Amino acid sequence: MIYIIEHLDGNRLYKWCFLEYKHISEIVGKDNLLFTNIKSKKAKEQLLIYGKVESKSITELQLKKVCILDQLADKILSPNDKNNFDCFIFGGILGDYPPRKRTKEKLSDKLLCEKRSLGNKQMSTDTAVYTAKKILDGTTFEKLEFQDELEIPVKDGLSIELPYRYIKEYGKIIISNELVAFMKKKKGI
Ligand SMILES: C[S@@+](CC[C@H](N)C(=O)[O-])C[C@H]1O[C@@H](n2cnc3c(N)ncnc32)[C@H](O)[C@@H]1O
């Protein structure tokens, strides 16, 4: 099973995005991960140790049995979908609030294939991949635990509000430690 991240931010690979991609590699393993639509040489070099890298867009690759993960899809991903598809495609795109339906615009509307949702709340790409993997490994969506919105304290009483859905394991939020450190540093400077 291959997890595909279609990078949708053009030539740019923001540090935030890079840290999410690194986290995704830890979640699914580099051998099961493909980054597509990576146009810049620098981004390619940065990502090669975390997965396979392809400069073509997913729309130019002739892949069969693919499924796009899109919040706006009608059907929820189910454990049985591991038998229906070989590749699961996610938008490599930072969250925005309110969501601007960019996954639909830039991905779902461009590729004729099945789509699945992970619920009607927006998640970061790494959270979406984590959630999809849990489901494909056998846990139904209804059994998963989530928290909507997350506040990360930084310093001097300041905090960062993340208006997204996060998955929890044994009551603990799953988020990249490196990303949290990056947010704290960024806010602190
Ligand atoms: C931060 S989200 C992008 C959201 C963006 N604001 C939009 O308007 O589509 C990054 C990716 O994670 C996946 N994703 C996030 N939340 C999802 C959900 N509830 N169901 C399915 N996929 C989701 C999608 O593949 C999406 O492209």
Side-chain angles (χ1 to χ4, degrees), residues 8 20 68-72 89-96 98-104 107 116-126 128 164:
L8 294 171
E20 281 195 19
I68 291 179
L69 278 299
D70 185 343
Q71 183 183 335
L72 298 177
I89 307 170
F90 301 78
I93 188 175
L94 289 177
D96 43 25
R100 286 189 283 146
K101 301 184 183 171
R102 287 179 299 161
T103 307
K104 180 176 182 317
L107 199 54
R116 295 287 187 271
S117 157
L118 300 164
N120 61 3
K121 293 275 164 53
Q122 182 181 189
M123 299 169 174
S124 58
T125 311
D126 55 342
Y164 309 116

Side-chain angles (χ1 to χ4, degrees), residues 64-119:
K64 300 260 177 332
K65 292 178 80 180
V66 299
C67 171
I68 291 179
L69 278 299
D70 185 343
Q71 183 183 335
L72 298 177
D74 296 330
K75 275 192 192 171
I76 294 266
L77 186 73
S78 81
N80 196 40
D81 281 323
K82 69 174 176 299
N83 304 315
N84 299 328
F85 307 108
D86 293 334
C87 307
F88 294 89
I89 307 170
F90 301 78
I93 188 175
L94 289 177
D96 43 25
Y97 195 82
R100 286 189 283 146
K101 301 184 183 171
R102 287 179 299 161
T103 307
K104 180 176 182 317
E105 227 172 78
K106 294 184 161 198
L107 199 54
S108 302
D109 287 350
K110 295 197 171 165
L111 200 64
L112 259 184
C113 69
E114 294 263 343
K115 280 103 198 175
R116 295 287 187 271
S117 157
L118 300 164

